[in-house]
Amino acid sequence: MSALSAGFAAARLHAGALTCKKTPTSEIFPATRSSLHAAATSETSDDVPMTDANLYTRLEAAMKAAGRAVAFAAPDGTTLRYDQLLSAARRFANTLTALGAMPGDRVMVQAEKSLTSVCIYLAVLKIGAVYNPLNTAYTAAELDYFIGDAEPTVLIVSKAAKPALAALASAKKINAIETLEPDGTGSILDLAFRHSDVHATVQRTPQDLAALLYTSGTTGRSKGAMITHENLVSNVETLSRYWGFSSTDVVLHALPIFHVHGLFVALHTALFNGAKTLWHAKFEMDPVLADLPSATVMMGVPTFYTRMLSNPKFTADHCKKLRLVIAGSAPLLAETHVAFKARTGLDIVERYGMTETGMITSNPYSDGERIAGTVGFPLPGVSVRIASPEGKVVADGAPGVLEVKGPNVFAGYWRNPEKTKEDFRPDGYFISGDLAVIAPDGRVSIVGRAKDLIISGGFNVYPKEIEDEINALAGIGEAAVIGLPHPDFGEGVAAVVTGISGQSVPVEAEIIAKLSVRLAKFKLPKRVFVVPELPRNAMGKVQKAELRKLYQVTFTS
Ligand code: MLC
Ligand code: AMP
């Protein structure tokens, strides 16, 4: 974050200087306040007609209204004001355009969370391009697939990752590969200081794409979810109202910003309301507890709350100002809800959503009871129904697959019309793959999954992808990958494998080591069991339920 302001200072002092001088964090803000102010107040041509559906235009209205209010504050004491953020977004917009990114082009970013990446995100929206963030845990092999599929015009990665990708650039028609480091420095930041902060926002229709987010699937291959400006605008408007956001809010943000929860829920609600964000590069207990007493809003995956509760230092005093505590992305155990209430006096608001749909349901904020183990009511404007696998709506109160329709539902899978067709009903409902029931009062509970999916610490892992990788290893007969109860991550990935007779079967550590070259760390089995054979049903299908029963205490004891 501090790198941003250091860069602005360099740009002003050297009038178009090409390098960003590294400045110790603590010295940056006092020294550069005036230059940032100058940058932020320079003339812009941002005024666009009211019909523009670009999400940026909507966010910008709130950010402009916030003026010189603090947008971001980090644990090291540095801050960034809204006027500074807007100025930076305009510079990055000019930078990306100069790198060849046109409206509709993908800008792929695999970089650690920093304020520079927030500016890049805003700039991508501003130029009408499509933001394509990737989990930083993805390996080079996974990145190769994403690049081939998304065909980005601009790719932003860490300095360490760039050399291996350079050869790809011409083969995959990438215009530019720029770098971005965890501290927010990198070639993309250096470039931004060569560009002016005058930029006219590119107008978008509601159906134009704003983002492409990859989500893995039952086939083992990740699919790009095409997310439109309308999807994002409708969801942030709804959440802002439903959860009672205002410019006086202070949002504690410790989620990654390459997925929906951190990017479209936590960041959007803060920016859309001109609120202040307490910016944490990741969830780390001590800094989070130090900032919590200043926060009015906190959002997290269940692992955040179980970790906080297992820390004896965490007390009600930390939550003095909290008015809203959100949990989602994975099931929040009822016992966690109850324990949080007992420790802090606060009822966590559990909500339910997906990459493809943004937020779908939420427990009530102001009107009604928050019930542990339920995900609340469909959000205003969002329709939900429960159906059989064949698409027949089930009797009231019966379990089935949750289907959802509304302005929040994505436009389909990137370059994959067959999969899109498969996952939508003819009347426009999207088939979530989650098993749910709706109570007579309309309250939704997620009771299971129709899809073979593991959610570990809020990250999705599709067993098929891991099984394909294990099956490709020498000496392996067949692998079955399952999710087992895990005290920290909710579910932990485990594999049960057979060998091939007459061949030497790799041992657990070898299998994990080989997989680690190909798969992101969070997808790696934390245990691998080698067995003589897998349990099968009469049809010859592996009985994963049996395996889950057999190994259920693996991570809990
Ligand atoms: C880290 N590890 C994980 C893991 N996170 N393993 C499984 N599952 C995870 N989620 C690995 C690390 O690489 C490390 O491996 C070991 O586990 C211990 O790591 P750690 O240091 O304890 O983990 P940490 O870095 O603290 O990360 C844990 C976490 C993080 C929970 C803070 O995973 C996280 O921020 N999760 C949030 C995910 C999220 O935002 N989901 C939203 C998706 S959007 P080793 O080998 O080095 O020991 C969505 C829609 C919706 O779902 O509804 O919101
Ligand atoms: P993702 O593909 O990462 O967007 O993950 C979406 C999935 O997370 C959903 O389909 C659900 O299975 C799960 N999910 C999100 N929120 C909740 C919740 N509150 N309770 C249970 N599951 C959830």
Side-chain angles (χ1 to χ4, degrees):
M1 150 162 48
S2 49
L4 263 183
S5 31
F8 282 122
R12 194 184 71 108
L13 292 172
H14 304 294
L18 303 186
T19 51
C20 158
K21 282 201 177 135
K22 253 192 154 178
T23 314
T25 306
S26 55
E27 293 171 17
I28 287 163
F29 270 88
T32 60
R33 198 160 288 149
S34 58
S35 65
L36 284 163
H37 180 65
T41 51
S42 63
E43 282 293 304
T44 68
S45 51
D46 273 345
D47 294 330
V48 286
M50 290 300 289
T51 52
D52 180 24
N54 192 326
L55 166 70
Y56 181 86
T57 306
R58 300 299 304 278
L59 295 174
E60 185 192 46
M63 294 192 284
K64 272 187 171 167
R68 290 169 57 80
V70 171
F72 294 97
D76 68 6
T78 57
T79 56
L80 191 71
R81 298 190 315 261
Y82 271 106
D83 54 348
Q84 296 166 334
L85 179 65
L86 284 167
S87 168
R90 294 190 290 262
R91 287 178 189 272
F92 278 96
N94 286 321
T95 307
L96 292 171
T97 304
L99 291 174
M102 303 289 289
D105 284 355
R106 275 74 57 213
V107 175
M108 181 180 277
V109 180
Q110 190 192 33
E112 295 296 341
K113 181 178 176 182
S114 73
L115 279 195
T116 306
S117 47
V118 173
C119 295
I120 293 168
Y121 170 55
L122 292 174
V124 171
L125 295 174
K126 198 172 194 318
I127 65 171
V130 180
Y131 191 64
N132 180 204
L134 295 179
N135 193 320
T136 47
Y138 291 145
T139 62
E142 289 167 305
L143 194 59
D144 192 38
Y145 165 75
F146 292 124
I147 292 172
D149 194 60
E151 296 189 323
T153 304
V154 176
L155 175 58
I156 300 171
V157 293
S158 69
K159 213 190 275 180
K162 183 173 169 176
L165 294 167
L168 270 182
S170 54
K172 309 270 183 175
K173 298 199 191 81
I174 299 170
N175 270 22
I177 304 184
E178 299 301 333
T179 65
L180 178 56
E181 296 298 284
D183 66 358
T185 61
S187 66
I188 190 76
L189 184 73
D190 296 345
L191 283 177
F193 301 128
R194 300 180 193 179
H195 287 92
S196 101
D197 81 340
V198 178
H199 180 269
T201 299
V202 173
Q203 292 191 32
R204 298 279 80 189
T205 70
Q207 282 71 42
D208 280 326
L209 297 193
L212 184 66
L213 261 63
Y214 279 93
T215 161
S216 30
T218 42
T219 59
R221 291 252 96 161
S222 292
K223 319 161 297 245
M226 299 191 290
I227 296 162
T228 67
H229 286 269
E230 181 185 30
N231 297 154
L232 298 177
V233 168
S234 70
N235 224 219
V236 72
E237 277 179 348
T238 301
L239 295 177
S240 294
R241 247 178 280 127
Y242 199 77
W243 290 339
F245 269 88
S246 79
S247 60
T248 60
D249 272 315
V250 180
V251 180
L252 195 147
H253 195 306
L255 286 157
I257 55 166
F258 39 69
H259 285 310
V260 163
H261 200 163
L263 187 61
F264 298 151
V265 185
L267 187 66
H268 278 187
T269 45
L271 297 181
F272 190 72
N273 291 282
K276 177 174 169 180
T277 297
L278 303 175
W279 188 249
H280 290 246
K282 58 177 295 199
F283 182 84
E284 277 174 327
M285 188 59 66
D286 286 344
V288 162
L289 290 189
D291 260 357
L292 201 51
S294 321
T296 63
V297 175
M298 165 153 188
M299 299 195 190
V301 295
T303 299
F304 286 15
Y305 302 114
T306 51
R307 284 188 182 185
M308 284 159 73
L309 286 167
S310 65
N311 186 327
K313 282 189 281 182
F314 172 59
T315 68
D317 278 349
H318 288 100
C319 305
K320 288 188 296 246
K321 291 195 182 157
L322 276 182
R323 64 166 189 88
L324 176 66
V325 184
I326 298 288
S329 309
L332 180 80
L333 294 178
E335 69 198 49
T336 309
H337 184 119
V338 170
F340 199 89
K341 172 102 189 229
R343 181 86 65 95
T344 67
L346 292 168
D347 264 320
I348 295 178
V349 175
E350 184 174 6
R351 90 314 178 266
Y352 156 73
M354 288 183 77
T355 301
E356 288 92 334
T357 62
M359 296 303 100
I360 300 171
T361 70
S362 173
N363 268 279
Y365 170 63
S366 54
D367 214 3
E369 207 184 337
R370 299 169 199 168
I371 297 186
T374 80
V375 294
F377 299 93
L379 288 162
V382 178
S383 304
V384 158
R385 68 186 183 196
I386 307 296
S388 69
E390 296 74 35
K392 207 163 166 278
V393 175
V394 300
D396 285 352
V401 179
L402 186 140
E403 298 185 353
V404 51
K405 188 175 175 178
N408 55 313
V409 176
F410 77 133
Y413 292 111
W414 174 252
R415 295 179 177 169
N416 199 341
E418 299 80 25
K419 184 67 188 155
T420 304
K421 193 160 173 245
E422 206 178 293
D423 284 0
F424 278 90
R425 298 290 176 204
D427 62 358
Y429 274 82
F430 172 67
I431 307 163
S432 72
D434 290 308
L435 296 174
V437 292
I438 302 183
D441 63 353
R443 193 181 284 273
V444 178
S445 298
I446 305 296
V447 294
R449 290 175 205 141
K451 50 196 174 189
D452 192 10
L453 162 71
I454 300 165
I455 305 183
S456 175
F459 288 138
N460 288 4
V461 182
Y462 275 87
K464 176 77 166 65
E465 182 184 3
I466 321 304
E467 287 162 1
D468 286 350
E469 291 288 347
I470 302 177
N471 290 337
L473 299 177
I476 298 291
E478 189 178 1
V481 169
I482 50 174
L484 298 174
H486 191 288
D488 188 27
F489 295 126
E491 285 181 283
V493 178
V496 188
V497 306
T498 60
I500 298 175
S501 74
Q503 293 188 21
S504 84
V505 188
V507 296
E508 178 175 31
E510 276 176 275
I511 295 173
I512 295 175
K514 285 190 175 142
L515 292 177
S516 67
V517 182
R518 310 249 332 143
L519 294 170
K521 250 185 178 172
F522 68 87
K523 295 181 190 171
L524 292 179
K526 293 190 187 296
R527 286 302 315 268
V528 178
F529 302 98
V530 181
V531 296
E533 59 182 336
L534 296 170
R536 294 179 189 278
N537 65 14
M539 312 291 291
K541 204 170 169 248
V542 174
Q543 290 179 297
K544 289 195 172 180
E546 276 301 306
L547 291 175
R548 277 190 287 267
K549 235 187 275 166
L550 204 59
Y551 294 102
Q552 64 179 321
V553 292
T554 300
F555 301 122
T556 45
S557 55

